[in-house]
Amino acid sequence: MTLICIFLGVPGSGKGTQANRISKQFGMAQLSTGDLFREALKNDPNGKLAKIVSAGDLVPDEMVLELVKRTLKSKGDYSKGIIFDGFPRTIKQADALKEIVREMGAKIQVILLELGLEKAIRRISGRRICSQCAMVYHLPNHLPKEEGICDHCGADLISRADDTEEKIKKRHHVYLESTLPLVGYYKNHLVRVDASQVPDDVYRNVEKCMKAMANDQT
Ligand code: AMP
């Protein structure tokens, strides 16, 4: 049975970083709606979508679901499972995902990365992402080998437009209002991980959860 793993947590809790490492280690496909939207924005940097994302608001559910369904249809190998990072973010999205999971005959597991607002702000303020491949770095905790350049593809590192302190607070508020209800929604499929430690320590705990889930599958 295909495993669909959802990383849930406030902006800055490390969903992308942890999901990326897990996807590489377990050979699972990673689907980050935030990365997909940022990629789409490169072709339309001043459009409606760009305004929504840079303001820290949520993209309308219909648009998100259209993107997720299209990506699932076109994107490759799901035999080892799928990791969603940044999706679902509303109950409506979760209901739609339930239907997708049913059609795929898959199983959902949720990892909730728990982190307080103060620490999230500190983390996000230091975040830099690659303008091409979306690899995430952090000043001063995870520096690239050459300043301002991605180790992976050599492109420039940038700050996200929605990573200012004001936007982080807005996104935190949006999370509490629209996404936090998913913790109750998924209560029977959810494990909590303390995301306040350094990424390697968080990873060790996330990895343990993934191994336990994989054993449950067999
Ligand atoms: P992220 O990289 O996950 O922090 O997402 C960046 C931004 O993309 C969010 O602040 C939203 O504007 C948009 N976004 C990403 N995923 C979703 C989603 N599942 N639902 C609505 N908006 C989303």
Side-chain angles (χ1 to χ4, degrees):
M1 190 182 263
T2 307
L3 176 64
I4 294 198
C5 182
I6 297 166
F7 277 77
L8 207 60
V10 291
S13 55
K15 298 185 294 294
T17 303
Q18 299 296 332
N20 190 266
R21 283 181 72 172
I22 288 291
S23 107
K24 286 191 180 124
Q25 184 177 335
F26 290 81
M28 298 169 79
Q30 181 183 0
L31 202 158
S32 157
T33 41
D35 284 351
L36 291 171
F37 285 130
R38 278 184 289 280
E39 194 54 39
L41 291 185
K42 288 181 185 165
N43 300 323
D44 187 14
N46 300 311
K48 188 177 154 211
L49 182 63
K51 289 200 178 85
I52 295 174
V53 173
S54 65
D57 287 318
L58 289 187
V59 175
D61 288 328
E62 294 67 31
M63 242 168 128
V64 177
L65 292 169
E66 207 269 325
L67 176 81
V68 168
K69 285 180 188 166
R70 187 158 28 95
T71 307
L72 284 177
K73 273 196 191 121
S74 64
K75 226 184 165 192
D77 180 7
Y78 301 124
S79 56
K80 299 229 167 94
I82 307 171
I83 302 180
F84 281 109
D85 113 52
F87 174 85
R89 262 177 153 102
T90 64
I91 297 281
K92 195 164 172 201
Q93 292 177 20
D95 282 341
L97 179 60
K98 200 190 249 178
E99 188 54 27
I100 295 171
V101 167
R102 197 186 57 75
E103 280 166 17
M104 289 175 78
K107 177 185 162 182
I108 282 190
Q109 286 289 347
V110 181
I111 294 184
L112 174 63
L113 296 174
E114 296 190 294
L115 187 71
L117 175 62
E118 291 303 311
K119 209 149 193 177
I121 291 176
R122 251 181 287 142
R123 276 219 191 134
I124 294 185
S125 310
R127 175 158 67 185
R128 299 292 179 274
I129 61 164
C130 174
S131 53
Q132 285 305 316
C133 74
M135 187 72 85
V136 181
Y137 297 84
H138 186 274
L139 316 181
N141 297 334
H142 176 198
L143 296 170
K145 291 192 184 88
E146 191 182 338
E147 193 182 330
I149 303 292
C150 177
D151 294 346
H152 187 65
C153 74
D156 289 342
L157 301 185
I158 52 168
S159 293
R160 279 172 46 171
D162 57 349
D163 274 355
T164 63
E165 183 163 342
E166 181 202 342
K167 304 279 175 60
I168 298 164
K169 286 186 175 155
K170 166 83 177 287
R171 283 156 61 209
H172 196 88
H173 177 76
V174 169
Y175 174 87
L176 296 180
E177 205 168 58
S178 303
T179 309
L180 192 62
L182 294 180
V183 173
Y185 185 98
Y186 286 126
K187 65 179 184 297
N188 298 329
H189 307 272
L190 181 135
V191 285
R192 293 168 186 265
V193 171
D194 174 9
S196 68
Q197 302 158 333
V198 295
D200 283 351
D201 290 346
V202 177
Y203 188 71
R204 263 188 285 283
N205 290 325
V206 169
E207 189 189 21
K208 260 187 228 155
C209 296
M210 294 301 298
K211 285 188 175 151
M213 287 175 199
N215 286 339
D216 268 6
Q217 298 287 100
T218 54

